[in-house]
Amino acid sequence: MSRSIHTRNGGRGTGRPTLEEVAARAGVGRGTVSRVINGSPRVSERARAAVEAAVAELGYVPNRAARALAANRTDAIALVVPEPEHRFFAEPYFSEMVRGVGEALADTDMQLLLTFAGSDRERRRLAQYLAAHRVDGVLLVSVHADDPLPDMAAELDIPAVISGRRSAGETLAAVDSDNFEGARGAVAHLAERGRRRIATITGRLDVYGAQCRLDGYRRALEAAGLPADPEMIVPADFTEEGGRRAMAALLDRRPGLDAVFAASDVMAAGARQVLRDAGRRIPGDVALVGFDDSAVARHMDPALTSVRQPIEEMGRTMARLLLKQIETRSPERPQLVLPTELVVRDSS
């Protein structure tokens, strides 16, 4: 036997409780039910309890699509990684960032769309997607100084938050770790352990965070009274292969070096392999320090001393800032810098 119900206006329903039926059961107006469902504080506790009880009794499920349309919303945000897809899966930084973002969105109706924009074609496709306002906001991870995506989001008036500032004069909301202090502390630790010929493998220097880590390296050398030798600074690209190439170049230039600060754990893993192949003991001959304190650091042999940046917390904070922008359309663009911590292990 087929089953149907009659709505209050005498029409035949679909079997799905309506907002009006919830209001009637709770003894309140339709607007009160809507405010409770949308989390508005402008409802008395008595009315809220009555509505919540009616929702539970009737099994009412809000129509998210209709709500989003009425509010000119999509209930979706994009997490944009302007890097090749292979790098996303190779580096723990990105997975930890996604985990933090996901945790912050877990209790919301927002959907998270992961988008890669490492090529011109992918950027053009993303630009079209954003121009069509198919998302309510954008989280940008691993942004380079010349990346057009942040300014594009601003021009389209799409709320946006970036991880890592593009420069000291960043204009968008941003969440960063204290790259300068993290690097300074790491190199100071090496100097305190008696190392006097300390090299560094930098990340890509079109990334502001990598520039800050290099500045921290230089400041620590200055404070320790050690010379700043340009031949002891080799840039790489945050990859393991980049770390290998940079370490080989350093050994060729300065074979007497006794410590290396790598601006990521992944690059430190590449450097370790080259040092071992060259017969250098870690830390006996060369001390090694990384940055990120990822699983890579903990599982290396010897375990890697590394600068812990709170990546998951950065992801959570980014998502919360973006949700606030979407809800309030506030003109404020906060710049938050989270502290780092040096985790000392056997490699130094």
Side-chain angles (χ1 to χ4, degrees), residues 328-344:
T328 67
R329 287 288 172 171
S330 170
E332 296 181 6
R333 298 293 182 264
Q335 312 278 311
L336 303 181
V337 178
L338 305 185
T340 58
E341 174 190 1
L342 182 67
V343 180
V344 178

Side-chain angles (χ1 to χ4, degrees), residues 60-252:
Y60 175 75
V61 178
N63 187 332
R64 289 181 63 248
R67 286 169 53 200
L69 183 63
N72 195 27
R73 292 262 297 270
T74 65
D75 279 351
I77 62 175
L79 176 63
V80 180
V81 181
E83 298 286 353
E85 189 172 335
H86 67 83
R87 188 182 163 203
F88 176 88
F89 291 104
E91 294 190 27
Y93 175 89
F94 295 110
S95 59
E96 291 184 39
M97 182 67 69
V98 171
R99 189 178 301 117
V101 171
E103 287 178 5
L105 299 181
D107 294 329
T108 75
D109 287 334
M110 283 290 183
Q111 300 178 72
L112 181 63
L113 308 178
L114 176 60
T115 304
F116 298 101
S119 68
D120 290 340
R121 180 183 178 187
E122 288 171 332
R123 288 189 183 90
R124 287 194 298 269
R125 188 169 57 206
L126 177 62
Q128 294 170 352
Y129 196 81
L130 296 181
H133 288 271
R134 294 182 179 177
V135 293
D136 295 325
V138 180
L139 298 170
L140 288 154
V141 180
S142 186
V143 178
H144 301 173
D146 59 351
D147 198 313
L149 292 176
D151 292 330
M152 182 193 308
E155 289 168 7
L156 293 170
D157 195 29
I158 296 175
V161 180
I162 63 177
S163 75
R165 296 162 291 171
R166 291 170 292 171
S167 70
E170 180 58 65
T171 56
L172 293 180
V175 179
D176 210 344
S177 63
D178 195 339
N179 292 291
F180 174 87
E181 183 56 30
R184 189 210 61 78
V187 178
H189 162 75
L190 290 169
E192 289 164 2
R193 292 288 176 96
R195 307 293 170 161
R196 289 296 175 264
R197 297 177 298 281
I198 305 172
T200 186
I201 299 172
T202 79
R204 291 181 52 165
L205 293 178
D206 60 345
V207 175
Y208 182 60
Q211 298 172 25
C212 292
R213 292 174 196 180
L214 178 56
D215 289 343
Y217 162 83
R218 287 171 169 151
R219 178 67 62 83
L221 291 183
E222 179 184 358
L226 300 176
D229 181 355
E231 293 294 300
M232 298 277 268
I233 300 171
V234 177
D237 57 1
F238 289 112
T239 67
E240 186 172 354
E241 177 57 31
R244 282 194 289 266
R245 288 195 300 265
M247 191 68 248
L250 283 169
L251 287 178
D252 184 59

